[in-house]
Amino acid sequence: MVKAAVCRAFGAPLSIEDITVAQPGPGQVKVAVEACAICHSDIHFIDGAWGGALPAIYGHEAAGTVSEIGDGVATVEVGDRVVVSLIRSCGACPGCAKGMPVTCTGRFSIDRTRPLTDANGDTLVHGLKTGTFAEEAIVDQSQVVPVPADVPMTSAALLGCGVITGFGAVTNTARMEAGADVAVIGCGGVGLNAVQGAAIAGAAQVIAVDIADDKLDAAREFGATAGVSAGADDVTDQVRALTGGAGVDYVFVTVGAKPAIEQAFSLLAPGGAVVLVGMTATGVMVEVDATDIAGNSQRVLGSKMGGGRLPIDIPLLVSLYQNGRLKLDELVSKTFPIEDINEAIDEVKRGEARRNVIVFGEVNRARPRGS
Ligand SMILES: [Zn+2]
Ligand SMILES: [Zn+2]
């Protein structure tokens, strides 16, 4: 039995319980979780915004050490330090063949088993196909990627969702060209990674838009060239003024809010693209002027998990981190033991955290750069 945070009722605090994680079957990997960040997607699920069955164990932005492997696992070995992600890919379906594993439609043996059970032996839902708000997790082998020892677990955890989602929206989904002007709406954990992705990929201007001044300051640290308060009534005018009246080539909307998505189109230059990164609650509709989009040859791009391809993107992000170009440690706000997960979640809901990270055991905590 291992400790886990179980969601038994939508909107209620998670309950800390002992659970059992099954032995890994063919192609599956068990990970001793050492760090798991709290992502807004976890909170949407916990609040019931996306429905789904309960009781469930969520958590999907994690890192740990491989403790057991099933038959046929070739990509990792017991003892490997790994990033754990919800991106699961079969390698054989049309989505995978097109190089878009986030659209994988393959079937996995793990979904036909009961990987998680509670103390009474009852089934627990394997939330986000990951379930890392627990001391142990079981996932398909495609969901783990080794990381070197010089990346602290608390920082490595962020690579699997928050970082790849923001960074990949720029590099994979938008394939932003150097010299583009960019706006990023929402500068939380994902938004800051869109900002640093755009800066690293050579954007001419990266204009951060957020309601909170401290988040605009953070965005500047991560490479934004200007900050615009989302609370101002002239956001569109300010962004247009910064771009000589033209508007920006890409708007990355990292918050799942209807007004933010609708506003994005007003910031866009002819030929530009709005990239939808943040997920709204199920059923939220947005209104846009279709004639404007067609008449200006604009595009709307959906970006699930930054179009992430784990075996390509994780090593790239690690390399950028090791070379001092990608900020990771700075994204970790605070660490919490699993017993305090509800407090950690409340802080995230109040917008107080870039990333709050649940830690298990004596992990290699993030340390400030240069210390
Ligand atoms: Zn996430
Ligand atoms: Zn597939």
Side-chain angles (χ1 to χ4, degrees), residues 39 41 60-61 161:
C39 170
S41 299
H60 62 279
E61 186 170 318
C161 180

Side-chain angles (χ1 to χ4, degrees), residues 39-42 60-61 86 161-162 165 305 355:
C39 170
H40 285 280
S41 299
D42 295 311
H60 62 279
E61 186 170 318
L86 65 79
C161 180
T165 298
M305 299 293 294
R355 274 300 194 252

Side-chain angles (χ1 to χ4, degrees), residues 88-96 101 104-106 108:
R88 181 189 283 180
S89 58
C90 71
C93 73
C96 287
C104 177
T105 51
F108 296 85

